[in-house]
Amino acid sequence: MRGSCGSKTIFGKDLPCPDDGAPLEPDNATRDLLIDVCGADFADGPVCCTQKQVLTLQANFQRVDGIISACPACRNNFRSFFCAFTCSPNQASFLNVTETQETTTHPDAVQSVDFFVSSQHGQGFYDSCKDVQVGSTNGYAMGLIGGGAKNYTSFLKFLGDKKELGSPFQINFPLTAPPEISPLDMTPRKCSDPDILSRCTCIDCPQVCPTLPPVPLPSNGPTCHVGALSCLSFILILAYSFAILGFLLGYVVEMTIRKRREKAYERVALSAESASPRTHTRGLVGAGSLAQYLDEDSLGTQSESRHLGRGASLLDPLETLQPRHYPLNAFLRRSFFRLGMWTASYPWLTFAIVSLVVGILNIGWQNFEVETDPVRLWVAPSSESKQQKEFFDQNFGPFYRTEQIFVTSVSGNIEANVSASSVTVGQKPPVLSWPRLKYWSAVEEDIRELTSPNGYKLDDICFKPAGPEGACVVQSVMAWYENHMSKWNHDSWARHLEECANSPVDCLPSFQQPLGPQYVLGGVPTVNGVESYHEAEALVVTYVVSDSLDTEVQQKAMEWEETLRTYLLDLRERASYESGLEIAFSTGVSLEEEINKSTNTDVKIVVLSYLAMFFYISFTLGNGANLRDEEGLVSSLVNWAINFPRLFIPSSVTSSAQSDDSRHTPRFFPRLPRSLFVDSKFTLGLFGIILVILSVSTSVGFFSFLGVKVTLIIAEVIPFLVLAVGVDNVFLLVHELDRQNLMHGPNAALGMPPGSAFNPPMSPTQSRSPFDSTHEDIDTGSVPLYLPAEERVARTLAKMGPSILLSTITETTAFALGALVPMPAVRNFALYAAGSVFLNATLQVTVFVSALTLDLRRSEVNRVDCFPCIKVSSRIALHDSVPIGSGLGPLARFVRRYYAPFLLKPIVKAAVLILFTGSFVASVISMQHIQLGLDQRLALPSDSYLVSYFDNLDAYLDIGPPVYFVSTDVDATKRPGQQSLCGRFSTCRDDSLVNRLEGERKRMESSFISQPTASWVDEFLGWLDPAQSKCCRVRTKDPSAFCGPRVSPRVCKPCFADRQPPWNITMDGFPQDEEFMRYLKQWLVSPTTEDCPLAGKASFGTAVSINDEGDSVMASHFRTFHSPLKTQADFINAFAAAHRIADEISQNTGTTVFPYSLFYVFFDQYAHIISITQEVLGLGLASVLIVTAVMLGSWRTGSIVTGVVALTVVSVMGVMPLWGISLNAISLVNLVISLGIAVEFCAHVARAFMNAGSGLPLDHPAGQKERDERMWTALVDVGPSVLSGITFTKLIGMCVLALTRSKLLEIYYFRMWLTLIISGALHGLVLLPVVLSIAGGPGFPLQEADEEWMSNAIRNDYEYGPFLADDDSISSD
């Protein structure tokens, strides 16, 4: 081939002529041009080309140089390849013209040729270019010059295919050559060769890059393993196994020793009984507390008794006669007694004062605001990611707003599933067809013409990289078809789509950036190793909209987005029957709107849950003590039904059979029990619930006044929380008042029930517990029986007030410590929770006590509950009748008769300790598998259109989110600063920012970086290369003036044409200081075109932030992309990896580098949530320890309570991974709640245990039996109230909540709250009693005077039969 034979068309490219002649010597001008274009290999000898052909080569090379010039090996191989093809004197040995064609000027011109290339040369040529990057597109040169070829044959085929922007004739590359042909077999240059004409930098040549060592993922968990178990799990299991074996062995030994000691004790007891005239059988519980040992003799006696077995010290209980008291306890009781007397004596004044204070605090509602912005909700103001986002927005502009649509076929059954993507690639038929393409073309035309209410269109708000006059960035398959289908038909559309997908550079969209198939197609099947793009399952359409810090500009975009959302919602409904398409989409305003909408998703379920708890509380409170000798509701209805037929039997027949008992008298209407109307406490329970609502309202008003915004978590959780931790206080007060009424109410003077202190049961045996009493030494006349209602209420508050104070202080402190968390959602919740709990407790010990007094007065004058104006007449009561029963409800009787005695058996204690220790070990093992994150689909309504969008996003989008590495504190105008950033020049630092990112890209599995880095500094300095003659140009006569793209080349020259030293890859002579800034400013405004792809306006126009003076670079960013992120773990790991990389770059280069991606601000919490969880729970437990130890007067008991609370939280955390509950802000809030609820379970039981004490030391021989008695008393005293007030109340609420359709409520409220309620109840009412009975601290008596002490003794015998006594000695239930 030689010369030009014209073109096929007037505007076509010249075609070579077939020529079999010998090569010719070129003239000097041609020779010089040939050397300049093709190098020294053509400095002498004949050639087979003309000057015109060389000029054409030069023009084509200039177009390619902007893409591959950064790698000398690729550039020179490319030039050598086509120079040999065009000008080699040996052309005939490897080139064969196979077909000719007629042109406008010549009858014969080349139409196709066979170009024979050896595999060695072809592979070397391909290898030298395959890794060359194009920073501006975050892609590779092979995607532009080779159609994304994966091997050398595909690369050569792309180069040889006839196309408008490529070769004007077909060049075929046969793999086998006939014998007469010698394939081209030049030695290709390697990018790793040391010579300057070959050596490429690390960015373009992986062979010269240092290999970075592998880095484990942040979520890989423990690195130490023993088999499949982590070392911690293995150690725990081993320790637990040894502990069980040790316990069993110790139990056998202890039982053997005990039997021997009991035999010795029996001998000593018999001798002591015969020798001592003072033998007391009085028990310790109810007898006051022990004084300190009186003298050395008693110490000796006790020391000796330690060798005699359990209970030996009880032989002479003189030591127990003198009680001791805890001063703080006495002070609190007196204070609460005075408070109770005042509030009970002046109830209406109390109401007025509290109402005034509450009303003043509720004024803050006028400042009420709900925070819905996800950033301000979940990201702390001091968050590093938030500050970095603000820095990025201010210096480079906010990240774009995206409107994204997934279009799939309607065939198939796809259901929303929030746990994982419900869309499985391969289950849907292809989405593309000729009718559907035409339909979607019309849809996109509609979207372009959409007009918002104020007249804004897409063109007004879209992102235009080329400037205001440029085209919008719309990533759609329609961009390959020039946004309309007029040029294609039913037969050609698929072929064109395949061509564009394989070579995006040949189908540039209107915004002139190559659009790869991964951006616009999803679910592409592979057929015989080749991707079949026209059979893709999904179309991905993305509209990029500009965002702004200017609220007016932002409002324009949001207004158009709302219009788009409305259009797409309508399209979603009709597209299925119009074209068989399914639409899933998201707009810039969708997420926040749908999340806010989710709060109304299950309002009915939440309200029903509250109502269920309300009615349970109101009705349960009425099941208190009933001393009236009357039947219940059920039995009265049964009697009425039995006796009703007797109304129709003649009186003469029934008169003889009539009973004196009026209950058997037949009536037309049933005789309902008076307790149903009078003893009911529905109004009181409802009042207690109103106080809960009022405390929440007041807390909201107070903190709103302080400027603390309400969050959705507060609205949903706080009422549940206050009900949980506050209602049992109501139960405690009501049940204690019932007991006071039994002892000191109007019925107390009528007599005591059988088995009371005044009528002690006669046990036929002597096996009664030594804790029981015959009360022979008590003067019954000194015990007051009837007390006024006000005093009974005051005594109730004096008894339960300190316990309420203990739980309130502990919970308030624990919740308030949550305010240390910088996350606004958690901090605001903690403040509102602490305030609500504190206010609720305050209202309970003031106005509720007043209400309790009024209700007591109403009941004693027989007025009907809820209708106090109606008075029920008193029935005749015989004075010789006595109250029946013990005054305990069914639950309390169960605890007293069965549960407490069973739990305190030694074998049961051992079993409890073993089981709970095993539960702890299992929980710690399970905790290691807790996942971080919160799938945003959980926060959406179940029917939200965003659910299907996120499902499609996970399945079909094969590109990860962009990530920017922002460099600050580096002087880019100086050579060292440039070298710390660049990557394409020989003097760039090996650990420069760009080189490090390239190294990280090569270990994508740990860095999550998948794309080449867009380096502005490399592109800018490459733009200065005079070889890029159409890039940086200045006027020939005035070098200070730049030439625009339309200025004639005749009056311009390359910027560095006459530069000394000349432009070179060593960076020697590159601009610095003011010169650097002058060229940089011009580069940033130079349009990116086909003639100069290195210009910076389109790709880097916002990548550099220049100071106001224009003399330095304040900050700049380097763009790359994450690998596709599908799960929460992927996002969290990508966030952690990017920050690790940025920190290491900063450390190595001495500059400040930080990463930024749009999702980072939401995942910043997971970088700190584990430490935050440890901090909050640790401080909460520390506060529990301090408060309980001080309030209970025992560090030992306080430590036990704190340990049980900690075990409760650990067990909740152990269940989390089993039930699919991740650790995030919501679950962290629930863990704080579980700490508070665990305190509520434990505090009342612990205080009752301490106040039932006799003060025996832990190592006293009778200490174990005394602690068992104290714990039995405590369980019977407060156990039923705790069970009724918190366990059953919340279980009822949780059971209703199980009906919810919201996954967020189901997982993070129903599952987690059910776990913590059950765990709290088990730990507080099973484990805590066992541990306290074994190792609890010495207690203090509740009473302060002998008269009180005797009264308590009577009450204990009257109400709580000793659990170790025989059945005959216990008052009948």
Side-chain angles (χ1 to χ4, degrees):
M1 297 188 306
R2 182 169 26 217
S4 174
C5 287
S7 60
K8 186 71 175 175
T9 62
I10 297 177
F11 300 102
K13 297 179 181 179
D14 286 340
L15 296 169
C17 300
D19 188 346
D20 293 333
L24 301 175
E25 287 286 343
D27 57 34
N28 291 335
T30 303
R31 176 73 69 184
D32 292 341
L33 179 62
L34 189 58
I35 294 173
D36 183 54
V37 173
C38 294
D41 290 342
F42 292 88
D44 52 27
V47 295
C48 290
C49 59
T50 64
Q51 185 179 29
K52 187 175 182 180
Q53 286 181 290
V54 178
L55 288 172
T56 302
L57 268 180
Q58 185 182 42
N60 290 332
F61 286 159
Q62 286 177 348
R63 293 174 58 189
V64 176
D65 277 353
I67 300 172
I68 63 174
S69 61
C71 181
C74 177
R75 177 180 181 272
N76 291 328
N77 282 337
F78 194 94
R79 287 178 173 250
S80 297
F81 184 82
F82 282 101
C83 284
F85 173 77
T86 305
C87 299
S88 173
N90 302 317
Q91 189 185 81
S93 64
F94 54 79
L95 202 63
N96 183 30
V97 177
T98 58
E99 196 172 356
T100 61
Q101 61 183 330
E102 184 177 352
T103 66
T104 57
T105 61
H106 202 279
D108 292 317
V110 174
Q111 182 174 358
S112 66
V113 299
D114 287 342
F115 186 3
F116 297 91
V117 180
S118 69
S119 59
Q120 176 186 355
H121 182 77
Q123 186 66 50
F125 181 21
Y126 171 76
D127 288 342
S128 67
C129 294
K130 66 178 181 180
D131 295 306
V132 177
Q133 299 181 8
V134 181
S136 59
T137 64
N138 289 109
Y140 294 91
M142 191 56 65
L144 301 178
I145 66 171
K150 305 300 183 184
N151 51 63
Y152 87 90
T153 56
S154 299
F155 177 39
L156 296 181
K157 180 182 183 303
F158 180 84
L159 292 175
D161 283 345
K162 178 182 176 181
K163 58 176 71 73
E164 183 178 350
L165 297 178
S167 174
F169 57 95
Q170 180 66 35
I171 306 174
N172 299 313
F173 295 89
L175 296 179
T176 58
E180 67 275 11
I181 296 295
S182 298
L184 179 66
D185 193 18
M186 299 184 297
T187 302
R189 297 178 183 272
K190 296 180 180 179
C191 65
S192 58
D193 288 345
D195 65 283
I196 194 171
L197 295 178
S198 299
R199 183 80 171 186
C200 302
T201 59
C202 171
I203 288 180
D204 300 319
C205 185
Q207 291 87 336
V208 302
C209 290
T211 302
L212 297 178
V215 176
L217 292 176
S219 60
N220 274 354
T223 56
C224 175
H225 286 84
V226 179
L229 295 175
S230 68
C231 291
L232 176 60
S233 302
F234 178 78
I235 292 172
L236 286 173
I237 293 174
L238 195 64
Y240 180 66
S241 302
F242 280 120
I244 296 297
L245 292 176
F247 171 81
L248 294 176
L249 180 62
Y251 179 77
V252 172
V253 173
E254 194 272 341
M255 289 299 295
T256 303
I257 296 175
R258 179 184 296 180
K259 289 180 181 179
R260 295 180 179 177
R261 285 186 175 180
E262 286 179 351
K263 292 179 181 179
Y265 165 67
E266 290 174 358
R267 292 193 297 270
V268 175
L270 291 174
S271 60
E273 184 176 353
S274 60
S276 175
R278 302 181 306 170
T279 301
H280 298 271
T281 61
R282 181 161 186 77
L284 294 175
V285 174
S289 62
L290 291 174
Q292 298 294 327
Y293 301 124
L294 301 177
D295 50 35
E296 294 181 358
D297 292 339
S298 63
L299 286 173
T301 302
Q302 183 192 358
S303 176
E304 181 180 355
S305 69
R306 288 188 181 129
H307 303 284
L308 302 179
R310 293 180 59 191
S313 64
L314 300 179
L315 296 175
D316 195 349
L318 279 179
E319 298 170 301
T320 69
L321 295 181
Q322 197 60 229
R324 66 188 184 94
H325 306 288
Y326 184 41
L328 179 60
N329 197 19
F331 170 77
L332 291 176
R333 289 195 67 252
R334 286 194 297 269
S335 300
F336 277 108
F337 182 84
R338 295 189 184 100
L339 177 62
M341 281 297 293
W342 195 92
T343 54
S345 302
Y346 307 100
W348 299 110
L349 180 59
T350 303
F351 287 158
I353 294 174
V354 173
S355 299
L356 178 63
V357 174
V358 168
I360 293 174
L361 292 177
N362 274 274
I363 293 176
W365 271 86
Q366 63 185 355
N367 298 329
F368 176 81
E369 287 186 77
V370 178
E371 184 61 82
T372 58
D373 183 359
V375 175
R376 291 195 294 267
L377 193 62
W378 299 110
V379 183
S382 59
S383 164
E384 184 180 41
S385 291
K386 184 175 183 180
Q387 294 175 353
Q388 291 169 353
K389 178 183 183 300
E390 292 172 349
F391 181 90
F392 187 93
D393 291 348
Q394 291 169 1
N395 286 274
F396 310 112
F399 193 77
Y400 318 116
R401 306 173 68 90
T402 56
E403 334 297 326
Q404 196 164 56
I405 308 169
F406 288 90
V407 186
T408 56
S409 170
V410 296
S411 301
N413 182 21
I414 295 181
E415 299 178 356
N417 184 340
V418 298
S419 61
S421 173
S422 65
V423 179
T424 303
V425 176
Q427 292 186 347
K428 282 194 170 187
V431 68
L432 291 172
S433 66
W434 175 243
R436 287 176 175 174
L437 273 178
K438 291 194 297 182
Y439 178 83
W440 190 252
S441 176
V443 169
E444 291 197 7
E445 182 63 31
D446 290 343
I447 292 175
R448 283 192 292 270
E449 296 301 321
L450 276 181
T451 304
S452 70
N454 288 320
Y456 304 121
K457 292 186 176 182
L458 174 63
D459 191 66
D460 299 319
I461 51 94
C462 70
F463 171 62
K464 301 176 181 179
E469 303 301 321
C472 294
V473 175
V474 179
Q475 297 175 340
S476 168
V477 72
M478 297 309 302
W480 290 343
Y481 294 95
E482 302 176 8
N483 294 321
H484 58 81
M485 304 299 297
S486 59
K487 295 183 180 181
W488 294 269
N489 56 39
H490 185 275
D491 298 322
S492 62
W493 72 268
R495 182 175 65 255
H496 179 74
L497 184 138
E498 291 287 345
E499 292 172 353
C500 292
N502 285 303
S503 179
V505 71
D506 293 333
C507 302
L508 290 178
S510 55
F511 57 91
Q512 296 299 302
Q513 296 286 332
L515 194 57
Q518 70 272 22
Y519 293 97
V520 296
L521 295 174
V524 178
T526 301
V527 180
N528 297 325
V530 179
E531 292 176 315
S532 180
Y533 293 104
H534 72 280
E535 294 183 309
E537 289 184 26
L539 294 178
V540 185
V541 183
T542 306
Y543 292 87
V544 182
V545 175
S546 295
D547 203 354
S548 174
L549 297 178
D550 187 338
T551 55
E552 293 185 4
V553 176
Q554 190 179 71
Q555 190 60 39
K556 292 179 182 178
M558 295 175 66
E559 182 180 308
W560 185 84
E561 287 170 344
E562 291 172 357
T563 304
L564 175 64
R565 181 203 57 206
T566 303
Y567 173 81
L568 292 176
L569 285 173
D570 175 68
L571 178 66
R572 188 168 177 255
E573 299 297 324
R574 57 185 172 85
S576 58
Y577 60 81
E578 288 181 351
S579 61
L581 295 177
E582 184 178 85
I583 308 298
F585 71 93
S586 171
T587 68
V589 297
S590 294
L591 186 59
E592 185 172 343
E593 286 182 351
E594 291 297 297
I595 288 178
N596 294 337
K597 188 189 300 182
S598 69
T599 57
N600 301 321
T601 302
D602 284 293
V603 172
K604 294 181 181 179
I605 296 296
V606 174
V607 171
L608 184 61
S609 178
Y610 281 118
L611 289 177
M613 291 186 289
F614 290 170
F615 282 106
Y616 168 77
I617 294 167
S618 299
F619 285 116
T620 306
L621 283 178
N623 294 331
N626 177 24
L627 294 182
R628 295 182 175 88
D629 187 13
E630 61 180 2
E631 56 191 351
L633 175 63
V634 176
S635 59
S636 65
L637 292 175
V638 171
N639 280 331
W640 171 76
I642 294 174
N643 296 312
F644 182 75
R646 295 169 54 193
L647 285 173
F648 307 100
I649 301 176
S651 59
S652 59
V653 177
T654 60
S655 59
S656 61
Q658 286 180 348
S659 171
D660 293 336
D661 193 343
S662 62
R663 289 176 294 185
H664 301 301
T665 303
R667 293 180 174 84
F668 278 101
F669 301 100
R671 178 181 178 182
L672 299 178
R674 295 173 63 254
S675 61
L676 182 65
F677 305 99
V678 176
D679 293 338
S680 168
K681 290 183 173 60
F682 183 87
T683 304
L684 189 65
L686 191 60
F687 184 76
I689 293 166
I690 292 173
L691 291 184
V692 170
I693 299 173
L694 193 61
S695 64
V696 175
S697 171
T698 306
S699 179
V700 171
F702 175 71
F703 286 108
S704 294
F705 176 77
L706 297 180
V708 181
K709 293 184 179 181
V710 175
T711 66
L712 299 179
I713 287 183
I714 292 172
E716 295 173 351
V717 178
I718 294 293
F720 270 101
L721 174 62
V722 180
L723 274 174
V725 301
V727 166
D728 65 329
N729 294 339
V730 172
F731 277 83
L732 286 169
L733 291 171
V734 171
H735 290 172
E736 178 59 27
L737 181 60
D738 288 340
R739 296 188 184 102
Q740 291 293 334
N741 291 333
L742 289 175
M743 289 183 55
H744 304 298
N747 294 306
L750 296 179
M752 305 298 286
S756 70
F758 301 103
N759 187 16
M762 300 300 297
S763 175
T765 70
Q766 296 300 319
S767 61
R768 259 186 91 133
S769 165
F771 294 108
D772 299 334
S773 171
T774 59
H775 299 296
E776 296 173 356
D777 55 342
I778 296 179
D779 180 8
T780 58
S782 66
V783 179
L785 293 179
Y786 176 76
L787 292 176
E790 291 79 6
E791 187 170 347
R792 276 175 274 152
V793 172
R795 290 165 66 93
T796 297
L797 188 60
K799 169 70 182 298
M800 290 302 171
S803 184
I804 294 174
L805 180 65
L806 168 61
S807 63
T808 301
I809 291 178
T810 308
E811 291 160 3
T812 302
T813 305
F815 289 142
L817 287 171
L820 297 175
V821 178
M823 202 179 304
V826 179
R827 177 176 56 83
N828 292 6
F829 163 81
L831 292 174
Y832 277 98
S836 299
V837 170
F838 178 77
L839 288 170
N840 187 56
T842 303
L843 295 176
Q844 286 172 338
V845 298
T846 53
V847 291
F848 185 78
V849 171
S850 298
L852 205 59
T853 306
L854 295 177
D855 185 76
L856 181 59
R857 293 174 182 173
R858 174 201 60 76
S859 176
E860 292 185 349
V861 296
N862 296 319
R863 294 189 178 275
V864 177
D865 188 26
C866 299
F867 304 97
C869 295
I870 302 176
K871 186 174 182 180
V872 178
S873 58
S874 301
R875 293 172 184 166
I876 298 175
L878 300 177
H879 286 286
D880 58 350
S881 67
V882 297
I884 63 172
S886 63
L888 299 177
L891 184 61
R893 287 197 296 272
F894 170 78
V895 172
R896 169 192 171 188
R897 293 295 303 272
Y898 304 106
Y899 177 70
F902 174 77
L903 183 65
L904 295 175
K905 291 180 179 179
I907 188 65
V908 175
K909 291 182 185 179
V912 167
L913 292 177
I914 292 174
L915 289 176
F916 276 88
T917 303
S919 172
F920 168 74
V921 171
S923 296
V924 173
I925 295 174
S926 178
M927 280 170 53
Q928 301 173 64
H929 303 284
I930 293 178
Q931 299 294 319
L932 304 182
L934 173 62
D935 191 331
Q936 50 196 337
R937 282 171 288 194
L938 295 176
L940 299 170
S942 56
D943 57 350
S944 171
Y945 62 86
L946 286 183
V947 174
S948 62
Y949 165 75
F950 285 118
D951 289 341
N952 281 271
L953 182 73
D954 286 349
Y956 294 125
L957 191 64
D958 292 328
I959 187 71
V963 54
Y964 300 85
F965 285 84
V966 180
S967 172
T968 62
D969 297 335
V970 57
D971 189 355
T973 65
K974 303 290 187 183
R975 186 77 68 246
Q978 298 165 10
Q979 292 169 338
S980 68
L981 299 175
C982 69
R984 287 194 180 276
F985 301 96
S986 59
T987 57
C988 295
R989 292 180 53 156
D990 291 338
D991 58 359
S992 69
L993 188 150
V994 174
N995 281 333
R996 180 55 186 269
L997 292 179
E998 177 61 21
E1000 293 291 348
R1001 186 183 64 81
K1002 291 178 173 60
R1003 55 178 186 183
M1004 184 176 62
E1005 66 284 350
S1006 61
S1007 68
F1008 293 88
I1009 292 177
S1010 63
Q1011 301 295 325
T1013 303
S1015 170
W1016 69 268
V1017 67
D1018 288 307
E1019 298 290 301
F1020 163 60
L1021 296 176
W1023 176 74
L1024 297 174
D1025 185 0
Q1028 311 295 327
S1029 60
K1030 295 184 179 180
C1031 287
C1032 182
R1033 300 187 303 161
V1034 293
R1035 292 189 178 271
T1036 305
K1037 295 182 178 180
D1038 183 11
S1040 63
F1042 288 99
C1043 290
R1046 297 180 181 179
V1047 178
S1048 172
R1050 293 192 299 270
V1051 299
C1052 299
K1053 65 176 182 178
C1055 296
F1056 274 36
D1058 304 320
R1059 186 81 169 189
Q1060 291 300 326
W1063 190 97
N1064 59 84
I1065 63 173
T1066 65
M1067 303 182 70
D1068 192 19
F1070 279 9
Q1072 299 188 73
D1073 302 323
E1074 294 181 3
E1075 185 184 25
F1076 179 91
M1077 294 304 300
R1078 173 173 170 265
Y1079 284 117
L1080 177 63
K1081 293 175 187 177
Q1082 180 62 28
W1083 175 72
L1084 290 173
V1085 298
S1086 297
T1088 306
T1089 63
E1090 182 181 347
D1091 291 331
C1092 184
L1094 296 177
K1097 183 175 183 179
S1099 300
F1100 299 99
T1102 60
V1104 181
S1105 176
I1106 300 175
N1107 64 358
D1108 295 336
E1109 292 75 17
D1111 58 3
S1112 66
V1113 175
M1114 294 176 57
S1116 61
H1117 69 61
F1118 296 78
R1119 183 184 69 248
T1120 182
F1121 283 81
H1122 281 302
S1123 54
L1125 307 177
K1126 303 297 185 181
T1127 65
Q1128 292 288 293
D1130 287 343
F1131 282 99
I1132 294 170
N1133 288 333
F1135 172 89
H1139 281 78
R1140 171 188 60 79
I1141 294 168
D1143 291 342
E1144 291 176 358
I1145 293 174
S1146 300
Q1147 183 178 2
N1148 293 337
T1149 63
T1151 63
T1152 301
V1153 178
F1154 68 84
Y1156 170 73
S1157 190
L1158 190 62
F1159 70 90
Y1160 283 1
V1161 70
F1162 300 106
F1163 284 83
D1164 178 79
Q1165 58 174 296
Y1166 301 111
H1168 316 287
I1169 196 165
I1170 295 178
S1171 60
I1172 289 175
T1173 303
Q1174 294 170 343
E1175 177 186 357
V1176 172
L1177 296 181
L1179 291 174
L1181 290 173
S1183 67
V1184 170
L1185 173 61
I1186 295 172
V1187 174
T1188 53
V1190 172
M1191 295 290 291
L1192 296 176
S1194 170
W1195 284 100
R1196 182 185 298 123
T1197 303
S1199 300
I1200 291 173
V1201 170
T1202 305
V1204 173
V1205 170
L1207 289 177
T1208 303
V1209 178
V1210 168
S1211 67
V1212 172
M1213 296 179 71
V1215 174
M1216 287 173 61
L1218 303 178
W1219 231 350
I1221 304 172
S1222 301
L1223 179 60
N1224 49 53
I1226 297 177
S1227 52
L1228 173 56
V1229 167
N1230 283 331
L1231 288 177
V1232 177
I1233 291 173
S1234 68
L1235 189 148
I1237 291 181
V1239 169
E1240 194 73 17
F1241 275 111
C1242 299
H1244 302 302
V1245 174
R1247 190 174 188 281
F1249 171 79
M1250 292 300 295
N1251 288 332
S1254 59
L1256 283 178
L1258 185 67
D1259 58 347
H1260 194 281
Q1264 183 59 63
K1265 196 172 188 67
E1266 185 258 1
R1267 286 190 298 276
D1268 286 344
E1269 285 282 330
R1270 287 162 55 199
M1271 182 45 62
W1272 180 86
T1273 303
L1275 283 174
V1276 176
D1277 200 13
V1278 300
S1281 298
V1282 174
L1283 273 173
S1284 302
I1286 182 171
T1287 309
F1288 295 154
T1289 303
K1290 296 309 299 175
L1291 284 178
I1292 289 174
M1294 288 302 102
C1295 290
V1296 176
L1297 203 59
L1299 303 176
T1300 180
R1301 293 180 296 109
S1302 168
K1303 281 292 182 180
L1304 187 71
L1305 287 177
E1306 177 192 339
I1307 294 176
Y1308 289 99
Y1309 292 98
F1310 169 69
R1311 294 183 186 179
M1312 202 164 183
W1313 280 61
L1314 182 63
T1315 301
L1316 69 89
I1317 292 300
I1318 295 175
S1319 176
L1322 291 176
H1323 283 82
L1325 297 176
V1326 178
L1327 179 62
L1328 180 66
V1330 168
V1331 178
L1332 286 178
S1333 68
I1334 295 174
F1340 302 93
L1342 184 64
Q1343 290 73 18
E1344 299 177 22
D1346 288 342
E1347 186 177 66
E1348 293 282 347
W1349 167 73
M1350 288 186 291
S1351 174
N1352 187 60
I1354 295 172
R1355 176 184 163 197
N1356 282 335
D1357 232 8
Y1358 161 48
E1359 193 170 332
Y1360 308 134
F1363 72 92
L1364 295 177
D1366 57 291
D1367 290 340
D1368 294 336
S1369 63
I1370 299 177
S1371 301
S1372 173
D1373 288 328

